[in-house]
Amino acid sequence: MRVTDIIEKKRDGAELTTEEIRWFIQGYTKGEIPDYQAAAWLMAVYLRGMSRRETLDLTITMAESGEQLDLSPVIDYAVDKHSTGGVGDKVTLIVLPVVAAAGVPVAKMSGRGLGFSGGTLDKLEAIAGYRVQLTDDEILQQVRDHGIVLCGQTKSLAPADGLLYALRDVTGTVPSLPLIASSIMSKKLASGAKAVVLDVKVGIGAFMKYVDEARDLAQIMVDIGAGAGREMVALISDMNQPLGEAVGNALEVKEAIEVLRGGGPADLREHCIALAAHMIRLGRRDRSKYALAEAMSEVSDLLTNGKGLAKFRELVQAQGGDVAMVDDPSRLPQAALHEEIRVDHVGHVAQVSALLVGQAVVELGAGRAKKSDPVDPAVGVIVHHKVGDHVQAGDMMFTIYANDAGKLARAKTLLQQAPVYQDREQPPLPAFYDTITSAVV
Ligand code: URA
């Protein structure tokens, strides 16, 4: 085979064979195909797209490019979740312990934030001592002992995706549906999932701006999963406004604990109940006898009876974190400066731009402009009102938590543009727009 033939074939819109995709990706991962040729191929894929069969072949090749975690010695039927990323998305911190508390063991590998989109690992590291990097043996042992692991991805997991993603990032080829879908799903397949619940975000603060686009991405990922023998549920969820009220690492941990204590913002709670219920249903193989509504009511109980919170505490302890911060969230890192932004006239909230809130929080130092940037765990924003709320002049809209006056001023400028008020009533935004499942679910 010749590299140029494969590039030209894709450039001209033809379908690559399984062998051609394997040969190309394996060659690139081994360093035998240079970046400039892989970049040309990525651009051809970006412009020409991929058939479902090609996308599945690419996903499986990337999943098999490194070590794959075999969870079968400790979990019969591993259920995983993945969010395509958003602002204020602390759902994993709540859902994972709740699912484990329901008796469905979970081992999840999460990522870090990039740009305005937050990352679960950064949130967890707001808890002093929490170890995100575990070996495969530690993961298996912790699942045996506690039924829950929440850690970072090992370097050897789907290395082809790591290499290709870095190249996509600098060649304008990130926003390609088959490349996004294969990138996400390769890591899910390699981390041992038998079933996956996808949280595909759509809106101003998400990768996908329109519901149809998000539905297409979800359908591709569901098809990849089904093609690889996995059960899939994809929820299309709103990311026009931040999820919950807290945006920023320690603030989000505190809010997650509030939900695990039976309180917290209604939208976040509703979101977590739906996601956890789908995971529990998938994890219990007798699901024909077990309706989604029943699973939702079970999750609701686990949030109010303290069992989800106890499991979160157990997780933090198992991974070396300071449980005193879970018991008393005022011990989490605190910012030195606070400032409020107030509503300037009476009306109804029509928009709270998740993008601008996310950008403000990056400006404060809670997020990253590039991968190597450090994050400040203490800073962030509390959003006091949601779309649909009736507000009066002088009501609090945002509280900013900062550690630097200059950053605070820049965040304030962004946040002042984030809300839109209207005189007439505004409908609240839905939590979910659609659900897509693989045939077997
Ligand atoms: N997340 C990923 O893991 N890969 C993508 O391509 C986009 C989002």
Side-chain angles (χ1 to χ4, degrees):
M1 269 186 245
R2 281 167 18 120
V3 179
T4 45
D5 291 343
I6 293 175
I7 297 170
E8 286 166 15
K9 192 170 171 187
K10 187 38 71 184
R11 178 199 66 193
D12 296 340
E15 193 176 1
L16 299 175
T17 65
T18 303
E19 292 67 37
E20 284 166 335
I21 291 174
R22 285 188 161 270
W23 183 82
F24 191 92
I25 299 301
Q26 286 169 354
Y28 179 60
T29 312
K30 282 189 251 162
E32 292 164 6
I33 295 176
D35 277 352
Y36 54 82
Q37 285 183 308
W41 182 80
L42 285 170
M43 186 55 81
V45 170
Y46 175 88
L47 295 171
R48 291 296 194 168
M50 276 188 150
S51 69
R52 286 292 202 274
R53 203 265 310 140
E54 284 178 296
T55 312
L56 177 59
D57 288 337
L58 174 60
T59 309
I60 290 175
T61 308
M62 291 199 294
E64 290 175 352
S65 64
E67 280 170 27
Q68 301 190 63
L69 185 60
D70 179 11
L71 290 169
S72 63
V74 291
I75 309 183
D76 283 345
Y77 196 75
V79 185
D80 202 349
K81 81 169 270 286
H82 179 84
S83 159
T84 56
V87 179
D89 183 356
K90 67 285 288 175
V91 169
T92 295
L93 301 182
I94 301 159
V95 158
L96 227 66
V98 165
V99 171
V104 174
V106 275
K108 173 164 168 51
M109 295 189 192
S110 280
R112 296 197 178 278
L114 190 60
F116 61 83
S117 190
T120 300
L121 297 187
D122 297 326
K123 299 176 214 253
L124 286 166
E125 283 180 344
I127 303 171
Y130 192 97
R131 283 177 59 219
V132 296
Q133 231 46 68
L134 302 184
T135 63
D136 287 5
D137 286 345
E138 284 174 321
I139 292 173
L140 297 184
Q141 192 55 47
Q142 193 173 310
V143 175
R144 257 185 221 108
D145 295 344
H146 302 283
I148 184 166
V149 171
L150 184 45
C151 63
Q153 180 183 311
T154 53
K155 253 210 150 88
S156 53
L157 196 94
D161 172 62
L163 291 168
L164 284 170
Y165 192 87
L167 194 57
R168 285 167 58 205
D169 211 19
V170 292
T171 54
T173 52
V174 168
S176 146
L177 293 186
L179 293 179
I180 295 172
S182 55
S183 163
I184 291 172
M185 286 304 296
S186 66
K187 289 171 283 203
K188 295 289 118 184
L189 299 188
S191 55
K194 295 281 198 302
V196 184
V197 178
L198 297 169
D199 189 358
V200 181
K201 307 282 189 198
V202 59
I204 313 170
F207 246 127
M208 301 292 132
K209 307 294 176 209
Y210 306 103
V211 174
D212 284 351
E213 215 185 0
R215 214 180 261 127
D216 287 347
L217 175 64
Q219 189 67 60
I220 299 173
M221 291 195 282
V222 166
D223 290 348
I224 293 172
R230 272 45 168 204
E231 281 186 290
M232 304 290 299
V233 174
L235 304 176
I236 315 286
S237 69
D238 183 76
M239 190 34 70
N240 285 296
Q241 64 184 348
L243 185 56
E245 295 169 5
V247 187
N249 298 308
L251 294 171
E252 291 191 43
V253 171
K254 182 166 177 275
E255 187 168 88
I257 293 169
E258 280 162 22
V259 174
L260 288 165
R261 283 181 173 164
D267 66 325
L268 176 60
R269 200 180 147 79
E270 179 190 350
H271 195 103
C272 292
I273 289 175
L275 236 106
H278 279 290
M279 288 180 76
I280 291 171
R281 254 194 110 227
L282 286 169
R284 293 205 181 126
R285 308 305 303 283
D286 60 349
R287 74 183 77 103
S288 58
K289 295 182 231 142
Y290 192 60
L292 187 64
E294 223 178 300
M296 288 172 81
S297 124
E298 183 177 350
V299 173
S300 215
D301 290 346
L302 291 165
L303 291 177
T304 45
N305 65 17
K307 290 190 179 162
L309 178 65
K311 193 47 97 173
F312 181 67
R313 195 179 188 282
E314 189 180 335
L315 165 73
V316 170
Q317 188 148 40
Q319 287 186 225
D322 181 1
V323 285
M325 291 185 169
V326 178
D327 298 337
D328 175 8
S330 70
R331 290 172 175 252
L332 285 161
Q334 302 283 328
L337 309 170
H338 305 175
E339 191 166 326
E340 277 145 18
I341 296 183
R342 292 182 181 270
V343 177
D344 49 16
H345 67 276
V346 62
H348 300 267
V349 181
Q351 184 179 305
V352 186
S353 165
L355 177 61
L356 287 167
V357 174
Q359 287 172 341
V361 170
V362 171
E363 199 57 64
L364 290 168
R368 294 188 176 77
K370 56 180 193 311
K371 249 186 178 165
S372 53
D373 289 347
V375 298
D376 182 340
V379 299
V381 170
I382 298 290
V383 180
H384 296 285
H385 285 287
K386 296 259 141 186
V387 170
D389 284 2
H390 180 248
V391 288
Q392 305 282 351
D395 283 355
M396 272 203 292
M397 185 62 212
F398 300 113
T399 307
I400 310 174
Y401 294 84
N403 275 326
D404 176 293
K407 291 180 179 173
L408 191 154
R410 290 197 293 278
K412 192 172 170 185
T413 305
L414 289 164
L415 288 170
Q416 277 162 338
Q417 303 160 53
V420 174
Y421 306 106
Q422 298 282 356
D423 292 337
R424 60 182 189 284
E425 274 191 30
Q426 298 294 314
L429 289 169
F432 300 104
Y433 295 96
D434 207 350
T435 304
I436 296 171
T437 59
S438 54
V440 276
V441 178

